[in-house]
């Protein structure tokens, strides 16, 4: 056996030992409710990333999701909220043509926040979800809820009277962190969906402050609606169990822990509270599935390397206008490399070095040693996988956090950004040449890949550890940030400032009064003397 194969097998052995240890240590199986309401493939992958290791460790999982889990084994019960797809109406909300002609503002937080609240509402009011909530026999040891711009679904923990764990699908930013700790300082942290990267210039610092304040106001302004939806979904179920639910304004700050799909290798090194656990990469199986035979042959013989091109699963690249598609095909035709393109339809007249696949095993392709470049929309899963497998990227961002993901990757030095417009083919060609000729991109991504892998414990094992910790310590109160109990005006010492102002005013008035009365006396004496 080759040495590297032996090492890999040993590592797998350790992994299995670790799992057994965790299960043994848990002593008993827990009843866990996992809620991932967003109807998108990447969110489903992130949800399954929790469900599968919990099942493997022997726990009993109830999973509320719009997308059924494939190949799950163990004690799993699913509640499929497929009607969430009607809310999203992906084709209408996210449409490449609209993006191309700038008909929608994709940095618009209000729209996405509204969508998130509607999805939470639809999930909570689903018939089967309501039956679960109203069944007095249903009990859970812990609830894991995806945090995606809204806290409405914290109510599951209120109804089942058990600890709440947030699963944040994005890089940490003030909006997520403020529900377990505090707002972040805008002078050195990027706002949600902002493309500016610290250190900031004076102007950028002002923009950052304005953007934080504006978005904090937007978030605050929907809290009334969220509170109503929370009551509407959960209060009757609580009442049936003889409990008055805590108000939304308290329940939403009652998370024991937040898992974050983030890591310093792909994001910023932020100041994080004790109960935030960065576990990016947890959705990637340590054991890579083998490539199907024909694809393996294509990749094995590509002596100049393979370029993998995928625009993700939410947007369909078939919506890209034909002229751009033909332009991109022509660029690929001029390359020595083999190109694998995940494209939902058949393409005609394609060059020999281009393979079009309707579905592609992304992780397995990226793991192949001949994969030299990944052209991606820049979703957080894709940028994380690029770092995990050490492949430089060209990002073509279109939506939400993709802009900031790609800009961060560019800033970290393993990526180039190309925007989607009619200039895309030309710009893509330049970017491909630059990345393939300049070794610095590859070197940089290999360094980050090392950072990504070099952790004391695998993120899957970390999930099992912290879930167990929260259950066994009844909500891990010792991990809560004291910042949650301090009102904002006290944090900025506004009360002290007010006191100082009052004192200064007092001194001023006392001085004035003394002065005038002394003066009057003086005037009187003067008159008497005369
Ligand atoms: C907060 O969560 C704990 C369990 O972690 C629970 O006992 C408590 O009642 C909850 N409080 C509120 C206000 O939701």
């Amino acid at each position: 056996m080759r040495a590297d194969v032996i090492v890999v097998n040993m590592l797998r052995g350790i992994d299995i030992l670790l799992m057994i240890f965790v299960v043994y240590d848990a002593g008993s199986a827990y009843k866990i409710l996992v809620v991932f309401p967003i109807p998108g493939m990447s969110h489903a992958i992130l949800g399954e990333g929790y469900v599968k290791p919990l099942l493997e460790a022997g726990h009993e999982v109830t999973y509320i999701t719009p997308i059924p889990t494939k190949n799950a084994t163990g004690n799993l019960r699913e509640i499929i909220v497929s009607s969430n797809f009607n809310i999203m109406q992906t084709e209408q909300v996210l449409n490449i043509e609209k993006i191309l002609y700038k008909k929608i503002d994709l940095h618009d937080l209000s729209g996405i926040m509204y969508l998130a609240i509607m999805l939470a509402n639809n999930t909570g009011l689903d018939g089967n979800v309501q039956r679960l909530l109203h069944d007095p026999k249903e009990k859970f040891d812990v609830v894991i809820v995806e945090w995606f711009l809204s806290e409405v679904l914290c109510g599951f923990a209120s109804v089942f009277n058990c600890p709440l764990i947030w699963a944040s699908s994005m890089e940490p930013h003030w909006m997520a962190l403020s529900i377990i700790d505090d707002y972040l300082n805008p002078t050195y942290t990027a706002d949600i969906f902002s493309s500016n990267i610290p250190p900031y210039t004076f102007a950028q610092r002002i923009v950052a402050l304005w953007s934080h304040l504006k978005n904090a106001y937007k978030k605050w302004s929907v809290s009334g609606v969220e509170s109503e939806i929370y009551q509407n979904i959960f209060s009757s179920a609580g009442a049936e169990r003889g409990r008055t639910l805590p108000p939304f304004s308290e329940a939403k700050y009652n998370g024991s822990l937040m898992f974050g799909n983030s890591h310093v290798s792909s994001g910023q090194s932020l100041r994080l509270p004790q109960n935030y656990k960065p576990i990016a990469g947890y959705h990637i199986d340590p054991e890579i599935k083998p490539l199907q035979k024909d694809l393996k042959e294509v990749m094995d013989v590509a002596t100049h390397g393979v370029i993998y091109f995928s625009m993700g699963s939410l947007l369909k690249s078939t919506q890209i206008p034909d002229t751009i598609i033909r332009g991109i095909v022509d660029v690929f035709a001029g390359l020595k490399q083999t190109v694998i393109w995940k494209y939902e339809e058949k393409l005609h007249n394609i060059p020999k070095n281009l393979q079009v696949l309707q579905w592609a095993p992304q992780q397995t392709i990226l793991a192949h040693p001949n994969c030299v470049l990944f052209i991606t929309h820049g979703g957080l899963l894709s940028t994380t996988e690029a770092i995990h497998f050490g492949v430089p990227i060209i990002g073509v961002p279109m939506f939400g956090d993709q802009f900031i993901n790609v800009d961060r990757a560019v800033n970290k030095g393993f990526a180039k950004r190309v925007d989607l417009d009619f200039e895309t083919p030309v710009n893509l060609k330049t970017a491909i040449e630059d990345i393939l000729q300049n070794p610095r991109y590859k070197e940089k991504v290999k360094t980050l890949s090392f950072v990504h892998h070099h952790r004391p414990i695998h993120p899957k094992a970390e999930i099992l550890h912290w879930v167990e910790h929260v259950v066994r310590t009844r909500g891990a109160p010792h991990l809560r940030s004291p910042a949650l109990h301090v009102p904002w005006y006290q944090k900025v010492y506004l009360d002290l400032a007010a006191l100082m102002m009052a004192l200064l005013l007092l001194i001023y008035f006392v001085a004035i009064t003394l002065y005038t009365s002394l003066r009057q006396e003086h005037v009187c004496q003067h008159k008497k003397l005369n």
Side-chain angles (χ1 to χ4, degrees):
M1 230 193 284
R2 273 170 38 201
D4 52 347
V5 176
I6 296 173
V7 170
V8 166
N9 281 340
M10 267 170 58
L11 284 175
R12 271 181 206 156
I14 291 170
D15 225 349
I16 292 164
L17 270 180
L18 202 70
M19 293 281 181
I20 293 169
F21 176 72
V22 170
V23 175
Y24 171 74
D25 198 38
S28 60
Y30 302 134
K31 283 172 176 286
I32 301 169
L33 176 64
V34 181
V35 187
F36 267 70
I38 315 292
M41 212 40 226
S42 51
H43 292 268
I45 291 170
L46 290 172
E48 285 174 28
Y50 291 94
V51 170
K52 285 184 175 164
L54 290 170
L55 289 173
E56 279 160 26
H59 299 302
E60 203 178 299
V61 179
T62 302
Y63 182 32
I64 300 178
T65 170
I67 300 175
T69 309
K70 283 185 221 77
N71 317 322
T73 48
N75 207 337
L76 174 68
R77 170 177 56 161
E78 286 185 306
I79 300 178
I80 309 297
V81 284
S82 45
S83 63
N84 281 9
F85 279 103
N86 306 341
I87 307 280
M88 193 82 154
Q89 282 169 325
T90 311
E91 297 290 319
Q92 276 154 27
V93 180
L94 308 175
N95 180 307
I96 289 188
E97 252 178 87
K98 283 192 194 160
I99 297 168
L100 215 49
Y101 296 103
K102 318 245 180 288
K103 281 191 211 147
I104 34 176
D105 178 8
L106 295 166
H107 286 84
D108 176 32
L109 182 64
S110 303
I112 302 177
M113 218 151 63
Y114 174 76
L115 197 65
I117 294 171
M118 288 303 110
L119 285 170
N121 183 46
N122 198 63
T123 305
L125 293 179
D126 176 88
N128 292 326
V129 172
Q130 281 293 320
R131 262 188 287 285
L132 179 87
L133 286 165
H134 282 270
D135 185 346
K137 289 197 293 292
E138 295 289 353
K139 290 198 168 49
F140 292 100
D141 295 302
V142 62
V143 175
I144 302 175
V145 179
E146 179 182 23
W147 186 88
F148 188 77
L149 305 176
S150 166
E151 293 88 45
V152 166
L153 296 180
C154 67
F156 282 106
S158 310
V159 168
F160 294 115
N161 199 18
C162 67
L164 167 70
I165 294 178
W166 295 111
S168 164
S169 300
M170 305 152 128
E171 273 290 313
H173 49 79
W174 64 263
M175 202 189 281
L177 293 175
S178 65
I179 61 166
I180 55 165
D181 180 40
D182 203 347
Y183 286 84
L184 293 174
N185 190 329
T187 58
Y188 56 85
T189 53
D191 190 14
I192 180 170
F193 300 161
S194 148
S195 292
N196 289 346
I197 289 159
Y200 292 149
T201 61
F202 177 68
Q204 282 175 328
R205 210 147 40 80
I206 294 172
V207 170
L209 176 64
W210 169 242
S211 155
H212 272 64
L213 288 174
K214 187 181 64 182
N215 287 336
Y217 170 75
K218 283 184 185 168
K219 179 72 180 138
W220 173 81
S221 64
V222 294
S223 56
V225 177
E226 288 190 270
S227 173
E228 260 173 54
I229 294 177
Y230 165 88
Q231 291 296 345
N232 192 26
I233 297 173
F234 299 108
S235 64
S236 64
E240 265 169 43
R241 287 160 198 263
R243 308 186 51 236
T244 319
L245 296 192
F248 178 63
S249 55
E250 279 177 34
K252 71 173 171 178
Y253 293 114
N254 201 25
S256 301
L257 197 78
M258 181 179 276
F259 286 120
N261 180 29
S262 69
H263 189 254
V264 280
S265 55
S266 52
Q268 257 194 298
S269 166
L270 281 183
R271 183 192 65 185
L272 294 169
Q274 296 282 328
N275 56 353
Y276 181 94
K277 304 295 170 192
I279 53 162
Y282 74 95
H283 74 283
I284 304 170
D285 224 316
E287 235 170 286
I288 295 303
K289 290 185 203 78
L291 272 176
Q292 66 227 54
K293 199 162 158 280
D294 46 345
L295 201 53
K296 186 174 181 320
E297 271 163 23
V298 168
M299 292 198 77
D300 283 347
V301 299
T303 38
H304 292 286
V306 174
I307 297 174
Y308 174 55
F309 180 24
S310 165
M311 294 301 270
S313 49
L314 209 52
L315 286 156
K316 301 272 169 282
S317 37
T318 42
Q319 295 172 348
I320 303 175
D322 268 352
T323 50
I324 300 182
I325 297 286
R326 286 322 310 179
I328 293 175
V329 169
D330 289 344
V331 169
F332 290 156
L335 296 172
K336 283 184 293 194
Q337 286 74 21
T338 300
V339 179
I340 297 176
W341 186 351
K342 193 204 128 224
Y343 191 74
E344 296 80 7
E345 267 171 41
K346 282 228 152 58
L347 267 178
H348 300 288
N349 299 330
I350 53 171
K352 270 216 210 90
N353 67 334
L354 178 59
Q355 290 274 323
V356 178
L357 303 176
Q358 254 119 313
W359 180 85
Q362 175 157 311
Q363 295 180 7
T364 318
I365 291 174
L366 293 177
H368 194 286
N370 284 352
C371 188
V372 289
L373 171 62
F374 179 20
I375 307 173
T376 165
H377 61 316
L380 197 51
L381 293 195
S382 291
T383 49
T384 306
E385 285 168 22
I387 289 176
H388 187 99
F389 296 109
V391 180
I393 65 171
I394 293 175
V396 189
M398 292 181 296
F399 181 69
D401 65 336
Q402 291 162 9
F403 294 92
I404 189 161
N405 296 338
V406 171
D407 288 343
R408 280 202 181 127
V410 171
N411 197 46
K412 282 193 178 271
F414 72 99
K416 297 216 70 146
R417 171 171 161 176
V418 171
D419 285 331
L420 186 68
D421 51 31
F422 293 95
E423 301 298 304
T424 302
V426 184
N427 296 336
L428 194 61
K429 185 165 189 282
T430 324
I432 292 174
E433 279 164 5
D434 187 19
I435 291 203
L436 294 182
Q437 279 158 19
N438 193 335
R440 80 182 168 92
Y441 296 98
K442 190 173 174 187
E443 281 158 19
K444 189 68 211 190
V445 79
K446 293 286 178 207
T447 311
L448 293 172
S449 190
F450 172 78
V451 176
H452 176 91
H453 289 281
H454 200 226
R455 309 187 212 185
I457 172 172
H458 190 276
K460 272 187 210 286
E462 200 164 348
I463 291 174
L464 296 178
H465 173 87
W466 288 112
V467 167
E468 184 197 336
H469 186 82
V470 166
V471 174
R472 292 181 70 175
T473 60
R474 294 180 197 286
H478 50 280
L479 291 179
R480 304 285 170 100
S481 164
L484 288 173
H485 304 290
V486 184
W488 68 270
Y489 69 88
Q490 290 184 13
K491 281 178 193 159
V492 293
Y493 284 97
L494 221 53
D495 47 352
L496 175 65
L499 184 69
M500 302 279 269
M501 282 292 273
L503 278 177
L504 284 175
L505 281 175
L506 190 71
I507 292 168
Y508 174 74
F509 281 119
V510 168
I512 290 281
T513 324
L514 272 177
Y515 175 74
T516 37
S517 62
L518 281 176
R519 210 184 123 112
Q520 259 166 14
E521 231 167 84
H522 182 74
V523 170
C524 287
Q525 277 172 3
H526 207 66
K527 275 185 189 156
K528 268 183 210 158
L529 282 179
N530 286 343

